[in-house]
Amino acid sequence: DPLEVLLVNFRYDNLVTGETISTATVTATVHSGTDATPSAIISGAATIAGTTVTQKIIGGLTDVTYKLRCSITTSSARTLVIPALLPVETF
């Protein structure tokens, strides 16, 4: 729902073994529907706690599905990405 404020978690525990997460960035694009500014749903910077990255998501437009991509860099300079789809609907 566009009124919701969500904390979305991206878990890297099975991908980052013996490493730490150095940086994390979450981006938003439109998967389906229409939103001229999909990045507006990203609120603030992603936070890293161990092997989990958390991103605050706000707003969004009804009937739009957003594609979220969490990209991290590890302590051994690997880049890993986890994608997710976030539908915004009202009933």
Side-chain angles (χ1 to χ4, degrees):
D1 191 289
L3 296 178
E4 291 182 316
V5 175
L6 305 172
L7 294 177
V8 177
N9 293 315
F10 296 89
R11 297 188 60 186
Y12 287 86
D13 39 340
N14 291 331
L15 300 172
V16 180
T17 304
E19 300 175 84
T20 58
I21 297 174
S22 303
T23 64
T25 304
V26 178
T27 58
T29 57
V30 172
H31 177 72
S32 65
T34 303
D35 184 345
T37 56
S39 62
I41 69 168
I42 304 292
S43 179
T47 58
I48 303 166
T51 58
T52 300
V53 175
T54 302
Q55 178 64 59
K56 185 177 181 180
I57 304 292
I58 60 171
L61 300 179
T62 301
D63 297 327
V64 175
T65 298
Y66 296 89
K67 181 176 183 180
L68 304 177
R69 293 182 79 230
C70 181
S71 176
I72 66 163
T73 302
T74 69
S75 54
S76 64
R78 293 190 310 142
T79 299
L80 303 170
V81 177
I82 295 178
L85 295 178
L86 176 66
V88 177
E89 300 175 352
T90 56
F91 294 96

